[in-house]
Amino acid sequence: MTAQTKKRSPVESGDAAIGTALVGFVSNNEDLGPIVRHAFESGRPEALFHNLRGIAKRKEVEIEELCRLHYEEFILAVDELRGVLVDADELKGALSGENLRLQEVASALLLKLDELLELYAANKNVGEALATLKICLQVTSLCQSCNRDIAQGKFHTVLKTLELIEKDHLQNIPLKLLKNVVQKKIPMMKLYIEKKVSNEFNEWLVYIRKFAMEIGQASIRQASLDRQKDERMRAWQREAEECSRGGFDEHAYALDLEYIDEESTLEFDLTPVYRAYNIHISLGLGDKFREYYYSNRLMQLNLDMQISTTQPFLESHQHFLAQVAGFFIVENRVLRTAEGLLSDSQVDTMWEASISKVTSFLEEQFALMDAANHHLLVKDYVSLLAATMKKYGYQVTSLLEVLDKNRDRYHELLVSDCRKQIQGVFAKDSHERMVIEKENDYNMNVAACQLEPIHAVPDLPYVAPFSSSVPGACRIIRSFIEDLVSYLSYGVVVNSYDVVKGYLDKLLIEVLNDGLLKLIHNGSLEIAQLVQIAGNIAILERSCDMFLLHAAQLCGLPKRLLGKPHSGLTARAVLKASQNAAFNGLITSANSRIDEFMLLLTSIDWTTEETPEHANDYMNEVLIYLDMVVSTAQLILPKEALFKVISGSLSHISDSIITVLLSDRVKRLSINAVVGIDIDLKLLEEFAEDRFHTTGLSALKKETSFKDCLVEIRQLTNLLLSNHAESFMNAVIREKSYASLDHKKVAIICDKFRDAPDSLFGSLSSRNMVQSARKKSLDVLKRRLKDFN
């Protein structure tokens, strides 16, 4: 027994510990989770259950004790609760009675409310009926207005009313029957209006085609009267000017009332066109009517262009041309007044097509005519047609070209003769300054051609600034003007001066200028001859005003206008361009000759170890040649051209030297070779600066001088001779001292440059320190250029 008791004591002690802990947790209202988990983990759940049952029994005992102590209070609470239930039943009965009384009172009020709602519904129906009647009354009133306006022909008002019905009333018509009727009638009314105005327009088409000939004849008659009036006015003007030379004539400027009248033109009615066009626009058919108008008028025009072959053209040409004029006068009025009905392109298309047919037919008839008076009669009427149509803004160039066809043939032959004569003059010219030893020769070659502003004969012998081809060409051109004016005096041209000027322009551009260009581009002329040709062109360009003045005098312009022709010749600008071509040819020729001298650069020893004391041979040759060019060109060329030629040559020399240094012919470059280039440049710069001032070019105040043309090679030479060559990579210094140099060119030349000679004792030279500094600077520059590139 004792042994057994000792064995169980540990279990019992564990159960007691669980029980104690459980009681403590329950008393403190703590979570029992840890104890439960511990009991199950330790394998003693039975002990846990046993202790929980014990605690439950103890709690039941406590509850019974508590109930025993508070038994009387429970009894009182139950009694109070039963009293509350009785009061609740009494309150429920009272509420039920009140509800019954409320329902009895409200029943009568609900009946009256139903009657009121019925009255409201009836009132609403009456209002809707009134609104419906009002809308229907408005619509029917508008419909009556449409019927009345249609009867009176007020179609535009009808369309406005229909538009108002469609936009504001049609969708709001409450009566379906009335709405359907209105919807059906609106398109019918629009169709009726469209047909009505279309019929009126078709009648107008018939009327205007018959009336067009009278319109054209009246306008052409007016043009003839205007021409006669202008001729009388010019005659009076010339007569008055002649009288003013001998003294004032009080009747010279008298106002002649006989010739003051209103311009006679036939009026024609375009109301049907405006009416039909506006109606179709209102119907949304503007494009349709525009196409209809254009197609019908085009068909009428095609009918008008069909010329009858049964009647001789001489008898029918006036009616035919008057019909065409009348047609396009009407179209011009429609274009200006019926905005949008016709476009400029449509009228231009019809006019161009018609005028093409007219000119073609005129060419055929002119070819068939064998009588001069017939020819002149048709030309006169056609010129009147051209004057009439030009007044209305139509292009009549092709008509005038047909009229001038015979004249063109004549003048083509005249121009051909002038071309042969001018070619002969150029062929005989030696392109040397003309020396005049006799007064008769001076008057014939200079004074007669007005090549010098001084009328007095200068001291002889006179060395002219031009060669013999200039007075020869001027005589040919003056003869051309005289022949041309003589022919035009019997022609149809009213203002012969403009025609003469046009043909003169053509002669100067196509004959004189082309001949000069052939000389310039011949390639066999010397530099002195090219200089003389450039000077000749400048004189011929100035002579253009003299040619115009001669033409104005022959055309009979008033004396007060002889000193200021109406406008200059286009040929002046063309000759100016040819003069520039001569300058460019002169530059090309000079540069070509300079290139021959620059070939001597290849004979220079670019790796020499000897310091040069004199300039290279090529530079001496270049300076001699440039001096010859300047002395020759200075006497003939204007200063601007002289500057252009010399500056171009100097720039070419600079570019040539740099090109040689960049080429493969120069493998290495020594400091002494660069010193030689520096000596050459100094001579060339001294020459450039001297000639820039002695020739007077400095007075032009150009932004650059001759010396500036050598800036690139000068900056390169300064860089190679500098002890601080690496400063080239400094942006500020480069912009100030080396702005004209290119990185890539500098890099290539620096790679070839060797500061010290490759000799055994080169490092023992007295210039060792300077060369070392320069070499280090160049090495730094080379590295930076490589990094930059």
Side-chain angles (χ1 to χ4, degrees), residues 406-420:
N406 291 337
R407 185 189 67 198
D408 291 342
R409 186 183 306 118
Y410 167 78
H411 289 97
E412 286 175 4
L413 296 174
L414 188 61
V415 168
S416 177
D417 292 340
C418 290
R419 178 179 285 107
K420 292 178 182 179

Side-chain angles (χ1 to χ4, degrees), residues 60 69 222 291 395 410 554 755 783:
E60 288 177 359
L69 293 175
Q222 184 62 41
E291 183 179 356
Q395 294 290 333
Y410 167 78
L554 294 177
D755 183 41
R783 287 196 302 271

Side-chain angles (χ1 to χ4, degrees), residues 643-657:
F643 178 83
K644 183 178 180 181
V645 172
I646 304 304
S647 61
S649 298
L650 292 173
S651 298
H652 185 70
I653 294 171
S654 175
D655 295 340
S656 299
I657 296 174

Side-chain angles (χ1 to χ4, degrees), residues 236 254-261:
W236 290 343
L255 183 63
D256 194 344
L257 299 177
E258 179 183 354
Y259 298 106
I260 299 179
D261 58 349

Side-chain angles (χ1 to χ4, degrees), residues 325-356:
F327 178 90
F328 284 101
I329 290 171
V330 173
E331 293 307 286
N332 178 265
R333 178 78 65 82
V334 172
L335 176 64
R336 289 186 294 107
T337 57
E339 184 176 357
L341 178 57
L342 275 179
S343 65
D344 291 332
S345 61
Q346 287 176 326
V347 177
D348 291 342
T349 300
M350 289 192 295
W351 172 254
E352 290 173 2
S354 302
I355 211 66
S356 177

